[in-house]
Amino acid sequence: MIIGVDVGTTVTKAAVFDRDGRAVAEAEEPTTLHRSGGARVEQELDEVLATVSSVVRKVAAARSEPVTAVALTGQGDGLWLRDADGRPTRRAVSWLDGRAGDLVRRWYEDGTMARVHRLTGQGMFPGAHGPLLAALDREEPEALERSAVAGYCVDAIAQHLSGEITVDASDASLPFLDVGTRTYNSEALAECGVERWRRLLPEPAEPHRLFSLDRRGARLLDLPEGTPVTGGPFDLPACLLGSGLSEVGDGLLTVGTTLACQVVADRVDVEPGGEPAGMWLCTDRPDRFSRAMPAMVGTAGLDWLLDLLGLGIGEVEPLLEASPPGARGVSALPFLAESGERAPFVDPWARGQLTGVNLGTERADVVRAVCESIAYAARHCLEAAGLAGELAVCGGGSRSRAWMQVFADVLGRPVVLPSDDAIGVRGATAAAWRALGDAPDEARWLAQGERIAPRTETSARYAEGYARYRAHLDSARALWASDAPA
């Protein structure tokens, strides 16, 4: 029995899957985001570790089989500083953090972003490793001085469980890694002005690396010392693996707090003059990469709107049915994250807009307009990532059948809903199976999902709406640039 653990931004989940990819035991615990001035968003490592302990113990107690491995995945990016024993040297900085927003804007304007993109193919955003290291070098160099590791969420957990200082190549991919060779690019470090902190970056683990629970980890999880542990991939490529997708050109759209769009690639192909956005991520297979466009828009924006209008999540379905495609002329730009946008373009000052509203506009029209705008953002991301094959959709937003129909219509292609919600945990489990020499048949998982087909007439209407969305976005980007603080 392999216990998969997904340490998310606000929830830690654990699950046990059978060979058909179906969860047979699950548990989850919430975690806390600490928000303060200056768009700072942080987490406590000790609290996160407590949730990992709780969910693993719960699913282990629910099954009678012995635990053969613990498979870790979780949130990526951010900055999780620790000492040599794994103790935090300050609060972990979340990937949602915006303190480096002005720095990213300056790097965009002075060409730093473009130069790093040419070196590694990676875009950057305020919550990424490079900007956060540079921001702390400016604001809290003493925190970096007393640290031994500048890592991520998953490797922080792995260190506490195994005593090993490591990092999965998927996490290390952004922004300093040459993904093809899985080695750090010293020029990219220098461009970000953080080359003196190279000592804090662990060397990426080789594919299929197995660790084992040490005494501390065994006590934390109440499992036998020596139990194998895998430390990745992090949640984006883990979800890609858990969906069952593996053919080049296949894509996965995760409609969660943010909108994570990924396409399977067999080589890294950097466009020297392209928009310095998105990511190239290593997976657990050396011959497969994720071309990722993880936009900052997503269900968080819809949740904000529902709260503003005094509506519950259960009202989304009837509201979408009450307003026709096109939302009676209401349209939106869904960029509500405090740290701006990171894919398929980078702009720390990106902000949301709502247009076409009049006295006859109803709440249903506003809700539909925002849902459509998020679908347009998904199309923009997937086009930039090179989608050409099957498309699966997962995440909390995928539970809305009406919203998934909007996505299918906007994208003009069928979308497949995987058979289980805990797709990231399933991907981590599949990686552990592979590391143990017992790879599952992931293709069966995709075949089990529900397929939602686009409606021809509605898709044609949305093609026009998408063209208007792109034109609106181009105009807004010029406005954001003029309104940005000097």
Side-chain angles (χ1 to χ4, degrees):
M1 176 177 80
I2 296 176
I3 297 179
V5 182
D6 183 356
V7 186
T9 306
T10 57
V11 175
T12 299
K13 300 177 182 177
V16 175
F17 286 87
D18 63 21
R19 297 291 295 181
D20 289 327
R22 296 185 178 89
V24 294
E26 296 181 84
E28 64 178 50
E29 291 281 349
T31 53
T32 306
L33 289 176
H34 300 276
R35 297 180 181 270
S36 57
R40 283 156 165 74
V41 185
E42 300 180 337
Q43 289 190 278
E44 294 284 2
L45 176 56
D46 288 343
E47 182 199 15
V48 173
L49 285 165
T51 65
V52 172
S53 174
S54 175
V55 295
V56 169
R57 288 168 182 258
K58 286 178 180 177
V59 295
R63 305 292 297 174
S64 58
E65 306 101 308
V67 176
T68 55
V70 176
L72 300 177
T73 187
Q75 57 184 291
D77 301 304
L79 187 61
W80 296 62
L81 294 174
R82 338 188 271 281
D83 65 18
D85 292 323
R87 292 185 295 266
T89 53
R90 73 175 313 284
R91 269 183 177 172
V93 183
S94 170
W95 62 274
L96 289 168
D97 193 273
R99 75 188 69 196
D102 62 333
L103 185 64
V104 171
R105 163 64 73 175
R106 188 167 74 247
W107 286 356
Y108 189 88
E109 292 173 347
D110 69 15
T112 300
M113 295 272 288
R115 290 191 293 274
V116 172
H117 184 261
R118 283 195 295 271
L119 290 167
T120 65
Q122 309 292 14
M124 289 186 286
F125 67 103
H129 231 51
L132 288 177
L133 274 173
L136 262 67
D137 182 50
R138 179 180 60 187
E139 299 176 2
E140 299 180 46
E142 67 281 0
L144 297 174
E145 290 285 1
R146 63 175 177 265
S147 300
V149 187
Y152 304 83
C153 175
V154 176
D155 57 86
I157 305 301
Q159 185 177 358
H160 267 266
L161 296 184
S162 69
E164 300 269 5
I165 295 176
T166 185
V167 65
D168 190 78
S170 62
D171 262 319
S173 296
L174 184 71
F176 305 126
L177 204 69
D178 181 323
V179 171
T181 63
R182 299 187 178 222
T183 58
Y184 291 112
N185 186 298
S186 58
E187 291 182 70
L189 284 156
E191 284 288 351
C192 295
V194 296
E195 62 267 40
R196 74 187 184 106
W197 302 116
R198 168 65 180 85
R199 67 174 179 83
L200 301 180
L201 305 180
E203 293 303 319
E206 295 183 359
H208 309 147
R209 172 76 184 277
L210 284 171
F211 305 96
S212 60
L213 289 183
D214 62 10
R215 184 176 300 176
R216 178 174 64 172
R219 285 200 305 267
L220 185 71
L221 303 186
D222 193 25
L223 293 176
E225 190 173 345
T227 300
V229 177
T230 55
F234 83 94
D235 57 7
L236 259 66
C239 285
L240 194 62
L241 177 57
S243 69
L245 296 163
S246 62
E247 297 300 317
V248 174
D250 286 350
L252 176 66
L253 169 62
T254 304
V255 187
T257 303
T258 59
L259 198 66
C261 303
Q262 302 180 78
V263 173
V264 179
D266 59 358
R267 67 183 186 276
V268 177
D269 186 13
V270 179
E271 296 180 34
E275 179 92 38
M279 309 171 182
W280 289 95
L281 302 175
C282 294
T283 71
D284 74 319
R285 291 177 54 180
D287 64 341
R288 288 290 183 268
F289 303 93
S290 164
R291 179 54 170 147
M293 289 286 173
M296 299 295 285
V297 305
T299 58
L302 180 59
D303 291 341
W304 170 85
L305 176 65
L306 295 175
D307 183 63
L308 189 69
L309 297 178
L311 300 169
I313 191 67
E315 296 176 83
V316 171
E317 291 269 330
L319 287 168
L320 286 173
E321 297 295 339
S323 180
R328 298 189 181 94
V330 181
S331 61
L333 293 179
F335 308 107
L336 300 178
E338 294 166 301
S339 56
E341 188 50 271
R342 62 177 176 176
F345 62 91
V346 176
D347 194 326
W349 307 113
R351 295 296 180 262
Q353 295 182 17
L354 192 67
T355 60
V357 177
N358 58 43
L359 292 176
T361 298
E362 300 177 1
R363 292 188 299 179
D365 302 322
V366 177
V367 169
R368 175 171 272 278
V370 169
C371 287
E372 289 176 348
S373 72
I374 294 171
Y376 289 142
R379 178 169 172 174
H380 194 184
C381 287
L382 289 166
E383 286 180 352
L387 176 68
E390 291 269 17
L391 178 65
V393 184
C394 65
S398 67
R399 299 189 186 104
S400 169
R401 184 63 169 69
W403 198 10
M404 289 304 98
Q405 186 65 63
V406 171
F407 276 100
D409 292 340
V410 166
L411 294 167
R413 64 171 62 236
V415 300
V416 181
L417 306 181
S419 58
D420 196 281
D421 285 342
I423 189 171
V425 188
R426 185 165 68 181
T429 302
W433 271 325
R434 190 137 53 210
L436 293 168
D438 187 22
D441 180 10
E442 299 108 317
R444 288 186 301 169
W445 302 347
L446 189 65
Q448 295 168 2
E450 178 189 2
R451 184 175 295 266
I452 299 176
R455 298 170 296 188
T456 303
E457 184 177 336
T458 308
S459 289
R461 179 168 185 174
Y462 277 139
E464 297 174 359
Y466 178 61
R468 289 194 298 273
Y469 167 85
R470 292 292 301 273
H472 190 184
L473 176 57
D474 290 343
S475 298
R477 292 190 68 180
L479 179 65
W480 298 332
S482 65
D483 287 347

